[in-house]
Amino acid sequence: MKIAITGATGFLGSNLTRALQLEGHTIHALVRDEQKMEGLIEPDFFVTADINDHDALTKLFTGVDAVIHTVSNFRVVKGTDESYYQTNQQGTESALKIAKACGVKRFIHTSTIGVHGDVKQTPAKEDSPLNPGDLYQSTKLLAEEACRKYVEEGDMEVIIVRPTSQYGPGDLRMLKMFRMIKNQRFLLIGQCTENFHAVYIDDLVSGYQRILETSNLNGQIFFIGGERHVSLQKYIDTAARALGVKKPAIRVPYWPVHFAGWLCELVCKPLGIEPPLHRRRVKFFKNNRAFNISRAKRVLGYAAQVDLDEGMRRTVDWYRSEGLLD
């Protein structure tokens, strides 16, 4: 197949590019910065542009069989509110419109478990209540709503993927946590009894591969996650074990830290400074996240292969090989 991947230099996008090329597929890649391609991906064809660039997307999607849309404005507090709408909502709408005009048969949209917010009854299913908790999550839900309009038209199959928390070699978003645990500076905020659901990057990629191989999926939504969810406490303890250090032991109350995050945002955002602490990071300790992946198992034949202990070991080994923990 010819497959276009938006956000091809991101953590997920680069791993998808590599895996799908190894399967013999031809990859068209959308990148924002050509320098980020070095050492990550070597697509068969690429364009350097923003997700809302009509001409670039037309070049990218012409002649392809499927689009995997991974571009996302992940939460940066100093970013403008409009930037979330431009990338997450409008960018998805642009990609859908141009893909259909180019005759693409299948559009796979990468959403987020965040559209469910803090899950009240776990494990959540794909049709569980939607309750986004911030602007990032809200605009990702708007992107899903744009996808549903094309589902109803039926000319192009549209599938939505909600990955659980992805990690593995190459991931830098969780690096700060690993560094703090290694250096015995990680604080436990609150009781850490909430659920946490991770997915190793190779397993997540295999979920996309199964979608590409399975027919008649128009309108389907899939959670792609690890086989099991764990308590946040166990997740943190597993990271410490992989690092070979003592488990974090210092615990502080949740709400005073949440207030401190709000105060940092209030002071730093008008100055265009990324705050050292903000509420999103604090909510990591409070959000309840556990998801039922039985639909992906039943419909796609999906099966997670890497458990948390093994995935953490591989991730730590990669951090060490890159000198990132020092």
Side-chain angles (χ1 to χ4, degrees), residues 181-249:
I181 293 173
K182 173 183 177 287
N183 294 312
Q184 303 289 288
R185 294 203 305 265
F186 190 87
L187 297 178
L188 300 169
I189 301 174
Q191 295 304 306
C192 298
T193 55
E194 287 75 15
N195 292 311
F196 191 85
H197 201 154
V199 60
Y200 188 69
I201 186 61
D202 291 0
D203 286 333
L204 178 56
V205 167
S206 76
Y208 283 84
Q209 290 171 313
R210 295 300 299 153
I211 289 172
L212 288 168
E213 295 164 2
T214 307
S215 58
N216 300 319
L217 295 178
N218 190 34
Q220 293 270 27
I221 301 173
F222 296 101
F223 288 133
I224 304 294
E227 180 63 28
R228 296 178 181 84
H229 58 270
V230 297
S231 69
L232 182 57
Q233 182 72 62
K234 185 172 182 179
Y235 177 76
I236 294 166
D237 291 349
T238 304
R241 187 162 57 250
L243 287 160
V245 299
K246 293 181 180 179
K247 299 174 184 177

Side-chain angles (χ1 to χ4, degrees), residues 2 25 36 160 166 262 301:
K2 286 187 178 180
H25 300 294
K36 291 183 178 180
I160 295 172
Q166 50 193 287
W262 172 80

Side-chain angles (χ1 to χ4, degrees), residues 23-323:
E23 287 191 332
H25 300 294
T26 299
I27 301 300
H28 291 198
L30 176 70
V31 302
R32 286 290 302 274
D33 183 352
E34 290 183 35
Q35 291 183 342
K36 291 183 178 180
M37 292 171 56
E38 297 178 8
L40 281 179
I41 62 169
E42 294 183 7
D44 301 279
F45 171 79
F46 73 93
V47 293
T48 306
D50 179 83
I51 188 61
N52 285 297
D53 187 321
H54 183 280
D55 291 341
L57 287 188
T58 300
K59 291 179 183 178
L60 187 75
F61 295 163
T62 297
V64 306
D65 303 294
V67 170
I68 302 178
H69 180 50
T70 76
V71 164
S72 180
N73 182 359
F74 197 67
R75 295 160 286 199
V76 179
V77 172
K78 66 181 180 181
T80 64
D81 289 354
E82 183 60 27
S83 67
Y84 292 89
Y85 290 99
Q86 288 175 344
T87 301
N88 297 339
Q89 179 189 10
Q90 296 170 20
T92 302
E93 290 173 347
S94 295
L96 285 161
K97 180 179 179 180
I98 297 168
K100 181 180 178 181
C102 290
V104 173
K105 300 301 181 184
R106 175 167 287 196
F107 189 101
I108 305 171
H109 171 66
T110 305
S111 186
T112 171
I113 53 174
V115 296
H116 294 276
D118 180 21
V119 180
K120 303 304 180 185
Q121 293 185 337
T122 56
K125 296 183 178 181
E126 285 86 352
D127 58 357
S128 291
L130 301 172
N131 185 32
D134 58 31
L135 187 57
Y136 166 75
Q137 296 169 2
S138 297
T139 51
K140 291 295 283 186
L141 182 55
L142 290 172
E144 284 199 14
E145 291 172 358
C147 288
R148 291 189 186 98
K149 294 177 183 177
Y150 283 82
V151 168
E152 294 168 3
E153 293 177 6
D155 298 328
M156 176 175 68
E157 272 196 299
V158 180
I159 301 102
I160 295 172
V161 178
R162 295 178 187 153
T164 63
S165 183
Q166 50 193 287
Y167 74 104
D171 174 41
L172 299 178
R173 288 191 298 185
M174 300 301 289
L175 175 59
K176 185 174 183 178
M177 181 192 80
F178 281 90
R179 281 178 174 168
M180 293 177 72
I181 293 173
K182 173 183 177 287
N183 294 312
Q184 303 289 288
R185 294 203 305 265
F186 190 87
L187 297 178
L188 300 169
I189 301 174
Q191 295 304 306
C192 298
T193 55
E194 287 75 15
N195 292 311
F196 191 85
H197 201 154
V199 60
Y200 188 69
I201 186 61
D202 291 0
D203 286 333
L204 178 56
V205 167
S206 76
Y208 283 84
Q209 290 171 313
R210 295 300 299 153
I211 289 172
L212 288 168
E213 295 164 2
T214 307
S215 58
N216 300 319
L217 295 178
N218 190 34
Q220 293 270 27
I221 301 173
F222 296 101
F223 288 133
I224 304 294
E227 180 63 28
R228 296 178 181 84
H229 58 270
V230 297
S231 69
L232 182 57
Q233 182 72 62
K234 185 172 182 179
Y235 177 76
I236 294 166
D237 291 349
T238 304
R241 187 162 57 250
L243 287 160
V245 299
K246 293 181 180 179
K247 299 174 184 177
I250 301 175
R251 194 180 303 275
V252 297
Y254 176 81
W255 288 109
V257 182
H258 187 271
F259 175 76
W262 172 80
L263 195 60
C264 283
E265 290 179 36
L266 189 67
V267 172
C268 294
K269 189 172 182 179
L271 301 174
I273 301 171
E274 186 67 15
L277 177 69
H278 43 78
R279 287 169 292 176
R280 173 179 60 81
R281 288 180 180 162
V282 180
K283 285 181 179 179
F284 170 79
F285 294 91
K286 196 69 173 176
N287 285 331
N288 193 28
R289 299 281 172 82
F291 302 90
N292 186 325
I293 62 171
S294 62
R295 179 182 291 176
K297 289 181 176 181
R298 184 181 70 256
V299 178
L300 304 176
Y302 167 76
Q305 301 295 320
V306 182
D307 65 23
L308 188 62
D309 281 286
E310 176 62 24
M312 287 286 197
R313 282 194 294 269
R314 295 182 189 179
T315 304
V316 168
D317 286 347
W318 183 81
Y319 286 152
R320 287 194 171 121
S321 71
E322 297 294 317

